[in-house]
Amino acid sequence: MRKRDEATNALKDKLQKALLGFQQNGLSVDIRNGKVYVSLTDKLLFPSGSIVIDERGKAALKQLAAVMNKEADINMAVEGHTDNKRIRNLGQIKDNWDLSVLRATSVTRYLTEVEHIAPKRLTATGKSEFQPIDEAKSEEALAKNRRIEIVLSPKLDELYNLITK
C-alpha cells in the first residue's frame, strides 16, 4: 500500500508540474480514494453547450497526454459531468446525459486519435448531473459541477505485482 501511495503521489506531482499553466484556468489535480483525479472545468475545454474541444482545452490535454504516454501502466476513466440545468434544444444532444457522455467521448477521442494514448487504457463515461461537487444553486456552484474528470488508476495486474513483491 505504501508503494502504491508513493507512486500515486509521484504521479500527482508530475501532473501538477506539467499542467501548472492551466491551474488558474480551471484545472486541478488531487488524490481521492487512492486515485489521481485531473479535473477540468467545462470552460477550459468547451464553448458553452458544445462537445467540440477548443484550443485551450487541446493544449491542456496535450500536456496531460505527454505525462500519461510515459506512464503506460495507468488506465484512465474520462468522466463527463454537468450541472442540473435543463438543456435547451441542442439538436442531437437531448439532455445532460447526452452532453456528459459526448463530452467524455470527445476528450477520449482527442487523447487516442491526436495524442496517441492507447485506446485500451481509456474508458469514457457520462455522469450527467448526478455527482455534483457543490449542491448549491448559485452560478459558481453550477460552474463547479460542469467538468471533465480524468481518473487515473494503476492497471490491476500492476497493483497485484506491487502487493505480491
Side-chain angles (χ1 to χ4, degrees), residues 107-118:
V107 170
T108 301
R109 279 200 180 102
Y110 180 83
L111 291 172
T112 57
E113 294 172 5
V114 177
E115 299 301 333
H116 308 294
I117 292 178

Side-chain angles (χ1 to χ4, degrees), residues 13-82:
D13 291 343
K14 278 185 201 176
L15 287 167
Q16 282 182 318
K17 286 178 185 146
L19 299 167
L20 191 61
F22 299 98
Q23 290 177 349
Q24 295 192 355
N25 293 317
L27 182 144
S28 63
V29 181
D30 62 311
I31 297 173
R32 285 182 256 150
N33 305 322
K35 295 178 183 175
V36 176
Y37 284 72
V38 178
S39 187
L40 305 108
T41 63
D42 71 327
K43 294 289 181 229
L44 175 60
L45 292 171
F46 305 101
S48 182
S50 176
I51 61 170
V52 178
I53 302 168
D54 66 22
E55 292 308 311
R56 249 183 2 160
K58 288 177 183 176
L61 292 172
K62 184 178 194 65
Q63 295 288 59
L64 171 70
V67 173
M68 296 315 299
N69 274 323
K70 295 175 187 169
E71 302 288 338
D73 61 335
I74 295 178
N75 288 325
M76 293 166 270
V78 180
E79 298 179 350
H81 297 266
T82 66

Side-chain angles (χ1 to χ4, degrees), residues 3-5 11 18 29 45 48 60 66 74-75 82 84 92 107 133 137 162:
K3 281 184 182 182
R4 186 207 64 192
D5 290 345
L11 178 61
V29 181
L45 292 171
S48 182
I74 295 178
N75 288 325
T82 66
N84 61 0
Q92 219 177 346
V107 170
I133 291 173
K137 303 295 181 215
L162 281 177

Side-chain angles (χ1 to χ4, degrees), residues 1 14 20 46 66 72 125 157 161:
M1 290 299 223
K14 278 185 201 176
L20 191 61
F46 305 101
T125 61
D157 55 347
N161 288 341

